[in-house]
Amino acid sequence: MAPSTGTYLIRGAAVLGGEPADLLIRDGIIAERGAGLSDDGATVIDAAGLVALPGMVDVHTHLREPGREDAETVETGTRAAALGGYTAVHAMANSTPVADTAGVVEQVYSLGKAAGWVDVRPVGAVTVGLAGEQLAELGAMADSRARVRMFSDDGICVHDPVLMRRALEYVKAFDGVVAQHAQEPRLTAGAQMNEGEVSAVLGLAGWPAVAEESIIARDVLLAQHVGSRLHVCHVSTAGSVEIIRWAKQRGINVTAEVTPHHLLLTDELVRSYDPVYKVNPPLRTDADVQALRAGLADGTIDVVGTDHAPHPSEHKECEWAQAAMGMTGLETALSVVQHTMIETGLMTWADFARVTSAAPAAIGRLADQGRPLEAGEPANIVLVDPAARWTVDPFRMATMGRNSPFKGRELPGKVVATFYLGHPTVLDGELNTPHPSAAQPAGAA
Amino acid sequence: MKHLLSTQDLSRANAIRILDTAEEMSAVGDREVKKLPALRGRTVVNLFFEDSTRTRISFEAAAKRLSADVINFAAKGSSVSKGESLKDTAQTLSAMGADAVVIRHWASGAPHRLAATDWIDAGVINAGDGTHEHPTQALLDAFTMRRHWAKLAGTESEGANLKGMRVAIAGDVLHSRVARSNVWLLRTLGAEVTLVAPPTLLPVGVEKWPCAVSYNLDDTLAQGVDAMMMLRVQGERMNASYFPSTREYSRRWGFDDNRLRTLDRLGMKDTIIMHPGPMNRGLEISAAAADSPRSTVLAQVRNGVSVRMAALYLLLSGDTREPATTPVLATAGTTPSTKEAN
């Protein structure tokens, strides 16, 4: 049982953007939901004008620890997550050493517990060292204290079709899922940006859409053949959306993710040669952006995943070709999705809750995340001021990464409070304190 | 003109102004004392992250003829892991008081980074970046074509453009910064450009460029060409399956002796043959074509110095006005009239 987390009364929040209601939080759960609840003994949070949503769950976060603590640590990355409205993140496996053993995933899990800002769920590598040659000990990671259910070589594609087939089959033994970074390596050797009109002019080696789409097409067919669960990371092209839509119509067990940056930004930004816009998969065209938005709205794409990828400044203050790929995203995701999906009328806040909380929790098999905001449910809640507008300043973020492609943009929506298992990790838009269980001896929580 | 980064963002007035200034500079090269005091006390750094003796000495000669101090910086360690970063190099040059940086870099966009960041506030001239642009090469090509075109028309080069001139550019367009810079600039100057290449060596998206595209050199020649520019093709491309063999490439896309005879046969007596160098004789151009009276290869080299003098002068004189008729040498201390010098 978690230590006491206090009693809070959220007064008059629009639950999922609907009618205002009170939420009474006690001992880590939503004790009551209703109107005019008694504030006896509770800390009252006036939530008039705020939207209450289930705590967000990121299926795709790079926390960089162990190995690149100069880029991010579990502590700084999860502070950023809490500020962004998250109560759980999946930490990708491309750390140093790679998270390809029970030991490393348990280390990351423990660091997350010790930090106490969100639930950190390590992703296990599919292959040893992300080398794409030999399966990592997937079962050992699944059975570890970290209870890994998502496996990915993210950053690198599991391009060997036999290895991919075996991985898809093997993880069925413990209800796992393989999250594929879809990138045909031969078609993208040396690739620097989306291949098209802009790359032709800029003289940067192209990353063609077909390199993503051909792998997704192969993998959905493999998933169908062996009856496995496939998750496609950071879908970036209109063609990929079409293939996934086709696969779902055929009943193939596939889920897909889109990043906030692919919902908003295009390769036109690369004309500046500013490496803050360098990311993998690359920024695509406006037609792709529109298709991704439509795919997210109609359910073809299941979730928003940030692919939060902090880098030290020297990896971006250089020539484009030298620069590292990746963008920060945890502290801007909510605002970008509100801007691109809600303000455009494509989605409601209830849809937002589905794609940022319920669906990602289901993919990662997180039982106490992504739950409805009802009595008896775990109190993972985010309060959002949808009318607020703010200008993105990477130097005011909690993440160590300053590589936000939204720098200087005005975006809507501010996280006012985040409750993680009943405890406010964020209050009044500022970091509060970690969950009290963080102070417990490792393993006790 | 604060920087010269690409020809795509060069207006017609500015392009003609550079070419006209280069005509005046060219007169200096014809004099006994090939030197002007225009940039005395100014420091030009040749910052070369990629070997290119030709381009470097051309810029060096240009700067020296204008009496600038020249520093050659060959930055060999070109990766972050091996050597100094571009940022540190730029800040070092800035601290040394560089007024202009002439940068050659293997990475597309590196000159843009220098110009856009606060690492250095010197003027930046792009001397070739990756597979992006090589604006001074295109300007010297345009200068060479303009002289030819004006001569045929019986007019002066100054102030003239390339309206109506048919230019074919053949070779590895995909990896060519020369082709890119030429397409934009020649179009700006009114020429009609046709790119000729195997489909594998054309970028995806080329159909949006302001030029025609052909896979067949003979068809293009048959339609009439006033300037035929051959691009260097690297034999290694064969290993990446861009084409099956150097012999097949040469037969289909090389300017060989047969095609040289074709020009005569079709009556194109005034067609010039251009090449940015260095040439692969026997691959993209035959020895007979390279050495024929039609060849402008050496004139291009000579004109390169004039064009680079003009670029350096316009960058460092701080003159941002548009008119092409400014007596640019008046501020140089000497006042040679262009017409007299000719």
Side-chain angles (χ1 to χ4, degrees), chain A residues 20 49 76 82-83 93 98 139 154 216 219 318 333 336 346 352 445:
Chain A
T76 59
L83 282 166
V98 171
D154 178 63
I216 295 175
D219 286 353
C318 56
V336 173
L346 290 166
F352 179 97

Side-chain angles (χ1 to χ4, degrees), chain A residues 54-61 85-90 121 303-306 355-362 364 366 369-370:
Chain A
M56 294 162 67
V57 176
D58 194 10
V59 289
H60 197 141
T61 315
Y86 287 92
T87 52
V89 299
H90 288 77
R121 308 307 305 238
V303 301
V304 172
T306 63
V355 301
T356 63
S357 185
L366 306 186
Q369 297 277 349

Side-chain angles (χ1 to χ4, degrees), chain A residues 195-197 199-205 271-275 314-322, chain B residues 8 78-80 86-87 105-110 112-113 119 131-132 180 184 203-205 208-209:
Chain A
E195 183 168 18
E197 259 179 74
S199 66
V201 171
L202 297 185
L204 289 170
R271 291 186 192 274
S272 66
Y273 287 105
D274 184 342
E314 64 268 26
H315 290 184
K316 289 289 191 181
E317 288 194 324
C318 56
E319 303 88 331
W320 179 278
Q322 292 281 26
Chain B
Q8 197 177 29
S78 52
S79 80
V80 169
L86 180 61
K87 177 179 176 177
H105 203 295
W106 54 267
S108 298
H112 285 71
R113 292 290 284 157
W119 305 339
T131 54
H132 175 225
R180 283 177 179 77
W184 317 130
V204 167
K208 296 289 173 70
W209 289 9

Side-chain angles (χ1 to χ4, degrees), chain B residues 251-324:
Chain B
R251 280 193 300 272
R252 295 180 73 95
W253 290 284
F255 202 87
D256 59 11
D257 293 356
N258 281 331
R259 295 187 172 112
L260 184 60
R261 283 192 289 273
T262 298
L263 291 184
D264 296 330
R265 184 166 51 78
L266 297 179
M268 287 184 264
K269 66 180 173 59
D270 295 318
T271 298
I272 54 175
I273 300 170
M274 309 180 72
H275 196 297
M279 293 183 282
N280 289 307
R281 287 174 182 249
L283 179 45
E284 74 267 4
I285 188 166
S286 72
D291 297 333
S292 82
R294 295 176 183 275
S295 168
T296 62
V297 171
L298 294 177
Q300 288 169 263
V301 174
R302 193 159 49 243
N303 296 338
V305 178
S306 305
V307 162
R308 286 165 181 139
M309 286 172 77
L312 285 167
Y313 178 81
L314 291 171
L315 223 72
L316 289 173
S317 68
D319 184 353
T320 54
R321 287 173 298 161
E322 284 276 313

